[in-house]
Amino acid sequence: MGERRYRAFLSYSHRDRQVAEWLHKRLENYRLPPGLVDHSRSALRPIFKDREELPASDNLGEAIEGAIARSEALIVLCSPSAAVSPWIAKEIDCFKRLHGDSRVFLALVDGEPPYNIPPPLLVHYNDGQPTEDRTEPIAADLRPEGDGRRLGVEKLVAGIAGVELDDLVDRQTRQRNRRMAAISALSLVGMVIAIGLALYAQKQRDAAREERAQANGLVEYMLTDLRKQLEPVGRLDLLDGVGAKAMDYYAAQNLDSLNADELGRRARAVQLVAEIHNLRGDNEKALPAFREAARTTSELLARNPDDPQRMYDHGQSMFWVGYIAWQRGQMDEAKRAMEGYADISKRLAAKDRKNLDWQMEEAYSYSNLGTLESDAGRFSKALPLFQRSVAIISKVAKQEGRPAARLIELGEGLSWVATEQNYLGDFAASTATRRQEIALYNEVMKAEPDNYDAMRSRVFARSEMGWLLGQMERRSEARTFLEAAVADARVLLEQDPENTMTKEMSNAAFENLAQLDWREGKTADATRNFDRAGALIADLRRRDPANKDWNLQRPASLELTRALTDRSGGSPEELSATAGGWLRKLDRKDPSLQWQVIAAHVVDALAKTRRGDTAGAAAAYARAIAVESEGEGLNVNALALRAVAAERLGQADLAAQLRATLRERRADPAIDDRIPRS
């Protein structure tokens, strides 16, 4: 291989290749100021970046180890992808065994610690062996919200060169000042003339610059110190006043008057404000902020419509607008934004099919469009969109070597496929897809037992599998899956009690287990699990009163289910209040609320029956039968309740027809058989 030596070995994930190429070029072209180090050491080259630098070898592992052995330092680009890469972990381990900890440098490029840090970086090595002690390697944060690229590079240079950062920055500053002084002397005459001509315009711009400087100072503070201090202690609420001031300022700006750098900073700042609101569950404030960010990225894209970075940035803005609008039930805006995101993502992916990040954006866009179709009850249109998304993710995962994060995304894509198959009444296909999904999460957790993302997704998958098996009269298997889902949910809720996604997944697990408990006559267990599901929903509703799922679908489903099961013995007044309250809130034309509307009418009929209002009860049952979704697919629970209503009205033929449909699907409506008659 020869004896070529390297100033540093650059270790990075394939997904971070673009940043790696930029950093490699920047470091190799860097020249340390005269007098700071010996002249022969003023250049930081060569830096090993790629296997292409190596000659042909029968054993690539030995070649890489040789390059590491001849490298003075190790630079690791830290990101979520890097954190789960087995190759990066091996490179770190190899370097530390040969050179120890002192010459290892981190460059944060994406994500948040510790989820973007490869685990071996945090392990102290002694005499070439890992120990139980932890180490704190030197880190440069290249992200805009961190040190930024300029200061981040200077930190890496100082570390590699073995000089103090302050000395490096001071000498660089003096060097720049001398250069500026020379330029100023040469252009002095021209400047005098120009100043006279531009004096009036300068005065006009001064006020605007002063305002921008003030806002920019505020933004930089938000992007760095303040958020870093507040987020770990859960006090992002203290940023509300700062965010409001920034939003007022940016909303009043004329985008045409800003240059590209100012627009970029504006977009980042507004996006930050929006993300903070979203993290706190305050989507009423998050949505306008995301809209403002999209307005800015749209202007940047309009100025350079073929720039991939501008396309990507605007696509992300459109996604967030669509996502928050979807959460709040503002479907027209959600559809426009998601279609805009999909258009950009497809064009971006077509630019470079080897860019796996861009391929994933296309996959995400298909999934988003599928979600909108599914919400509208168009399941046969949603299913192929989710399947296209899964096909792309599967291909990318294979090319990347099946990293954990990608396997989780693949599982979540399969989850959507299984859900649509369920909605279309194909229980056999849905069950098979769920098994594939759960196997992916199990694969991840076998390698990483504390991967809470995989565990969170597995909670939902096991819960849905339990529901499916219960409907197919396989109750013993159903209980196994549901109890496993609840066990995972308890671990997650203890590990991160503020995570709203965990609460959503756990709510479904507890409610499905409670329903199975009730069907099997375990009344006390059912009540305990229903209560746990109710507490989770109440917490979610407090966080965002406008979230449709948290404030309409989930609480309506739970309260009406309980009115038909463990709370069916309540007074007529209580049952009537539950039914009437939800009937006033539910849109009977919304296919996603079909079961809830039918259930509310059935509960109303039970209340009237107990009051002796036979005619009123009959009318309520008739209204339940009349609720038919205009959407596609088969809603097993809705069908079963309509069968119950038909039986109570004496419409035996209709009831038999509905139950025959259920039997064809191997669906068990036993939960509805236990609905009281009075």
Side-chain angles (χ1 to χ4, degrees):
M1 246 181 77
E3 292 300 320
R4 189 184 192 193
R5 304 193 65 80
Y6 299 96
R7 295 297 299 273
F9 183 105
L10 185 59
S11 178
Y12 64 95
S13 164
H14 174 81
R15 294 192 66 187
D16 303 320
R17 185 179 187 87
Q18 187 174 359
V19 179
E21 289 175 347
W22 169 84
L23 181 61
H24 181 260
K25 183 177 180 181
R26 183 73 182 86
L27 291 175
E28 284 212 329
N29 290 330
Y30 198 99
R31 288 294 181 272
L32 288 149
L36 195 60
V37 295
D38 184 87
H39 177 71
S40 63
R41 302 283 289 174
S42 63
L44 298 180
R45 62 172 56 190
I47 291 178
F48 180 91
K49 175 177 71 72
D50 272 321
R51 293 180 175 87
E52 293 123 2
E53 296 183 28
L54 298 171
S57 171
D58 293 333
N59 191 326
L60 186 60
E62 290 183 4
I64 290 291
E65 288 180 8
I68 291 173
R70 294 190 306 280
S71 296
E72 299 176 13
L74 174 69
I75 304 170
V76 183
L77 296 196
C78 295
S79 69
S81 298
V84 297
S85 169
W87 301 108
I88 292 177
K90 290 177 181 178
E91 289 170 352
I92 296 168
D93 177 73
C94 179
F95 185 93
K96 286 194 169 189
R97 288 180 185 275
L98 294 170
H99 303 290
D101 297 333
S102 63
R103 300 287 294 165
V104 178
F105 305 97
L106 281 63
L108 306 183
V109 298
D110 193 18
E112 293 291 337
Y115 307 108
N116 58 358
I117 306 295
L121 285 175
L122 303 177
V123 177
H124 174 61
Y125 281 57
N126 187 32
D127 293 331
Q129 297 297 322
T131 70
E132 295 295 324
D133 297 328
R134 292 175 63 83
T135 186
E136 296 292 337
I138 298 172
D141 193 344
L142 300 180
R143 302 172 303 167
E145 64 269 31
D147 298 321
R149 288 195 169 185
R150 179 175 171 181
L151 179 58
V153 167
E154 290 178 337
K155 282 187 175 181
L156 290 174
V157 169
I160 296 169
V163 300
E164 292 295 327
L165 177 61
D166 289 346
D167 291 342
L168 176 64
V169 172
D170 287 345
R171 286 178 181 263
Q172 289 281 41
T173 301
R174 289 198 295 273
Q175 204 172 46
R176 284 194 295 270
N177 288 343
R178 286 195 296 270
R179 191 179 302 117
M180 289 303 297
I183 294 171
S184 297
L186 291 173
S187 60
L188 180 58
V189 175
M191 287 178 61
V192 169
I193 297 171
I195 287 173
L197 294 174
L199 184 59
Y200 177 75
Q202 182 66 44
K203 288 181 178 178
Q204 294 297 310
R205 290 196 298 268
D206 281 347
R209 284 202 179 115
E210 187 176 346
E211 285 186 4
R212 287 179 193 170
Q214 182 181 8
N216 288 340
L218 175 65
V219 169
E220 291 299 328
Y221 183 49
M222 290 170 59
L223 286 171
T224 54
D225 296 341
L226 192 54
R227 184 178 179 183
K228 288 180 180 179
Q229 294 170 26
L230 296 177
E231 190 166 2
V233 296
R235 291 308 311 273
L236 289 177
D237 57 300
L238 298 179
L239 284 176
D240 281 349
V242 180
K245 183 176 180 182
M247 287 302 298
D248 288 343
Y249 171 75
Y250 284 123
Q253 278 185 336
N254 179 2
L255 300 189
D256 293 338
S257 68
L258 304 179
N259 61 35
D261 288 340
E262 289 172 326
L263 281 172
R265 174 173 283 184
R266 181 186 195 277
R268 290 195 301 272
V270 177
Q271 189 85 8
L272 171 68
V273 173
E275 288 175 5
I276 290 170
H277 289 317
N278 180 248
L279 283 171
R280 297 185 56 221
D282 190 354
N283 285 334
E284 185 174 354
K285 293 180 181 177
L287 183 55
F290 280 125
R291 287 175 184 148
E292 193 62 32
R295 191 166 76 96
T296 310
T297 54
S298 176
E299 175 66 22
L300 280 166
L301 182 60
R303 296 183 186 185
N304 199 346
D306 294 323
D307 187 318
Q309 188 61 48
R310 300 304 188 206
M311 293 171 66
Y312 176 82
D313 290 343
H314 188 52
Q316 298 305 298
S317 295
M318 294 296 288
F319 163 76
W320 277 107
V321 169
Y323 177 68
I324 302 300
W326 171 72
Q327 279 193 321
R328 295 171 65 80
Q330 298 169 221
M331 303 311 294
D332 288 342
E333 182 173 14
K335 187 173 187 293
R336 286 193 302 272
M338 287 304 188
E339 286 177 345
Y341 168 62
D343 177 65
I344 288 175
S345 298
K346 291 174 188 175
R347 289 193 289 119
L348 194 61
K351 279 182 173 290
D352 183 1
R353 289 298 178 187
K354 293 181 180 180
N355 188 314
L356 301 184
D357 289 340
W358 294 354
Q359 307 315 302
M360 286 302 302
E361 290 301 314
E362 185 177 13
Y364 299 146
S365 74
Y366 285 129
S367 181
N368 295 336
L369 294 177
T371 302
L372 295 178
E373 294 291 352
S374 180
D375 283 353
R378 296 186 289 266
F379 308 125
S380 62
K381 290 185 177 181
L383 180 57
L385 288 168
F386 289 126
Q387 289 172 329
R388 290 178 75 178
S389 177
V390 164
I392 295 172
I393 301 172
S394 179
K395 183 178 179 180
V396 171
K398 183 178 180 180
Q399 290 179 273
E400 292 179 335
R402 295 173 68 82
R406 195 66 77 212
L407 292 182
I408 294 170
E409 287 186 313
L410 179 58
E412 290 168 348
L414 288 171
S415 179
W416 280 108
V417 171
T419 297
E420 301 313 300
Q421 291 168 333
N422 179 4
Y423 288 158
L424 289 168
D426 193 345
F427 282 11
S430 184
T431 302
T433 303
R434 287 290 176 201
R435 291 190 188 280
Q436 293 178 47
E437 178 192 1
I438 293 170
L440 288 170
Y441 303 142
N442 288 341
E443 178 182 341
V444 172
M445 295 197 65
K446 182 178 180 181
E448 303 175 12
D450 292 333
N451 191 313
Y452 294 116
D453 289 335
M455 184 182 293
R456 188 177 299 109
S457 295
R458 191 173 68 177
V459 167
F460 181 77
R462 283 174 164 174
S463 176
E464 290 298 295
M465 177 66 94
W467 183 89
L468 279 166
L469 292 169
Q471 296 298 320
M472 297 167 69
E473 303 183 55
R474 294 158 64 178
R475 296 187 188 177
S476 177
E477 289 180 81
R479 179 167 291 280
T480 298
F481 277 99
L482 289 171
E483 289 181 345
V486 165
D488 277 351
R490 293 184 186 280
V491 171
L492 288 168
L493 290 167
E494 182 177 351
Q495 182 265 337
D496 186 1
E498 295 302 309
N499 190 301
T500 56
M501 188 173 292
T502 292
K503 294 176 187 293
E504 288 185 272
M505 304 302 188
S506 301
N507 158 247
F510 283 109
E511 185 171 347
N512 285 342
L513 181 57
Q515 290 185 26
L516 182 61
D517 288 335
W518 177 259
R519 294 169 72 178
E520 295 183 344
K522 300 177 180 179
T523 307
D525 290 341
T527 295
R528 279 194 294 271
N529 285 317
F530 276 136
D531 286 345
R532 192 70 179 94
L536 292 170
I537 290 176
D539 180 84
L540 290 171
R541 296 179 76 177
R542 284 192 296 270
R543 292 171 184 268
D544 184 3
N547 185 301
K548 177 185 174 184
D549 185 35
W550 298 351
N551 291 274
L552 197 63
Q553 286 177 285
R554 288 177 186 267
S557 176
L558 179 62
E559 290 185 20
L560 291 166
T561 296
R562 301 197 73 172
L564 296 171
T565 55
D566 72 321
R567 290 181 179 171
S568 60
S571 69
E573 291 74 23
E574 291 171 334
L575 294 175
S576 181
T578 298
W582 286 114
L583 284 172
R584 286 189 291 273
K585 297 177 182 178
L586 298 171
D587 179 4
R588 62 176 293 160
K589 295 181 180 180
D590 187 337
S592 67
L593 299 173
Q594 182 189 16
W595 180 87
Q596 289 90 332
V597 173
I598 295 172
H601 285 308
V602 172
V603 172
D604 185 40
L606 293 179
K608 288 180 167 59
T609 298
R610 291 186 183 172
R611 289 199 183 100
D613 183 0
T614 305
Y621 281 129
R623 284 191 286 271
I625 294 172
V627 177
E628 292 189 73
S629 173
E630 296 179 0
E632 304 173 300
L634 176 71
N635 188 320
V636 171
N637 289 336
L639 205 63
L641 268 186
R642 290 177 67 224
V644 169
E647 289 170 347
R648 301 289 166 88
L649 279 178
Q651 296 185 21
D653 289 344
L654 176 59
Q657 178 185 341
L658 294 171
R659 292 201 180 277
T661 302
L662 289 170
R663 284 194 295 274
E664 288 173 7
R665 304 293 183 177
R666 296 185 65 193
D668 175 20
I671 187 171
D672 301 302
D673 290 341
R674 299 197 62 190
I675 295 173
R677 292 181 177 272
S678 60

